[in-house]
Amino acid sequence: MTLKLRSFGTSDRGLIRSGNQDALYSGTWLVAVADGMGGMAAGDLASAIAIDSIAPLDVETPEDALVAALQRGIQVTSTRIRQAVSEDPERQGMGTTLTALLFARTGSCLALAHVGDSRAYLFREGVLKQITRDDTFVQMLVDQGVITPDQASSHPRRAVVTQALQGDDVSPSYSTMVPWAGDRWLLCSDGLSNVVRADTLAEVLAGYPDRAACARKLIDLALHAGGPDNVTVIVADIVEE
């Protein structure tokens, strides 16, 4: 039996925003979420560039090449965003988050790339763990002990990111993990994680075995909480086949 990645992704503009600046990719080997910023048209473009740049990684990749592949995808994203800004100076300041998971062809390893405040959670054996660390001003305050995680969730500057893909030098985080059969991954934009508590996320991930139903329930919860932002969700299961 070999471990495989099976996923479902969906996105909603929410109840406040006039458009959707999020983008996603849900494939056989790769899942990714991007949340654009920097004005309506530019935010759309930045997140689309990120997903278009990383989508070609959805191929069989040896486990020792996973991180390098993700690094190349992010380099391509930065180059294309820089080119887009040079073509139209009004795009100056546009950027995007990116959280991407790439699964090895052997099923023995996965790699995660992250920049910004979209998140990856791992739900394993009934326990939900946030794997990524937010690149945000409030997370910096939490790390410094200035505020608590609970205070961070309602801080007026919680949406201020400290780094994103904007065409400049950036320091994404990369990690690798050994997947287990039964693992469930949640990748999402902050339109979900800012308004739905982690314990509620865990309840839904446990209570909705069907990936599509689970993802849609999470979107519904974000909308029920006011839907102040675009919300994007990918539910990805590690299964034996």
Side-chain angles (χ1 to χ4, degrees):
M1 300 288 280
T2 303
L3 296 182
K4 299 291 185 181
L5 182 72
R6 296 290 178 260
S7 65
F8 178 85
T10 186
S11 186
D12 193 284
R13 69 180 175 90
L15 302 177
I16 306 297
R17 301 292 178 90
S18 59
N20 194 343
Q21 297 187 73
D22 289 358
L24 67 91
Y25 186 89
S26 176
T28 302
W29 306 98
L30 172 76
V31 290
V33 169
D35 180 353
M37 62 194 74
M40 191 58 238
D44 280 356
L45 180 60
S47 62
I49 287 172
I51 294 302
D52 289 346
S53 298
I54 207 161
L57 303 183
D58 188 21
V59 294
E60 294 187 11
T61 304
E63 64 176 78
D64 60 357
L66 295 174
V67 171
L70 289 168
Q71 289 172 330
R72 286 195 304 274
I74 285 179
Q75 288 168 355
V76 171
T77 300
S78 292
T79 298
R80 291 179 177 175
I81 288 177
R82 189 161 57 246
Q83 289 172 342
V85 172
S86 69
E87 291 166 5
D88 183 353
E90 290 190 4
R91 295 170 177 163
Q92 186 67 42
M94 82 172 189
T96 183
T97 71
L98 181 65
T99 299
L101 184 156
L102 183 60
F103 197 67
R105 67 184 180 196
T106 58
S108 58
C109 184
L110 60 82
L112 196 66
H114 169 76
V115 58
D117 63 352
S118 298
R119 291 183 178 178
Y121 294 89
L122 172 59
F123 188 65
R124 172 179 284 178
E125 296 189 329
V127 177
L128 183 69
K129 181 179 181 181
Q130 182 182 334
I131 302 300
T132 53
R133 177 189 172 279
D134 294 345
D135 293 319
T136 59
F137 174 72
V138 294
Q139 183 61 53
M140 186 173 62
L141 295 181
V142 170
D143 293 345
Q144 294 171 351
V146 177
I147 61 174
T148 66
D150 278 347
Q151 290 171 326
S153 65
S154 59
H155 195 282
R157 297 188 66 189
R158 66 184 180 277
V160 177
V161 297
T162 52
Q163 66 169 357
L165 299 178
Q166 295 181 284
D168 304 322
D169 289 339
V170 69
S171 299
S173 63
Y174 299 96
S175 58
T176 58
M177 294 183 65
V178 175
W180 291 8
D183 283 353
R184 170 163 277 192
W185 285 85
L186 168 65
L187 272 62
C188 64
S189 61
D190 64 343
L192 178 70
S193 55
N194 276 350
V195 297
V196 180
R197 290 173 54 91
D199 55 353
T200 303
L201 298 178
E203 288 175 11
V204 175
L205 291 168
Y208 289 78
D210 180 79
R211 289 179 286 277
C214 183
R216 293 187 182 109
K217 177 61 177 178
L218 292 170
I219 295 276
D220 288 345
L221 288 172
L223 298 178
H224 185 71
D229 198 355
N230 309 145
V231 53
T232 298
V233 171
I234 297 175
V235 176
D237 291 327
I238 307 297
V239 301
E240 285 186 313
E241 290 188 358

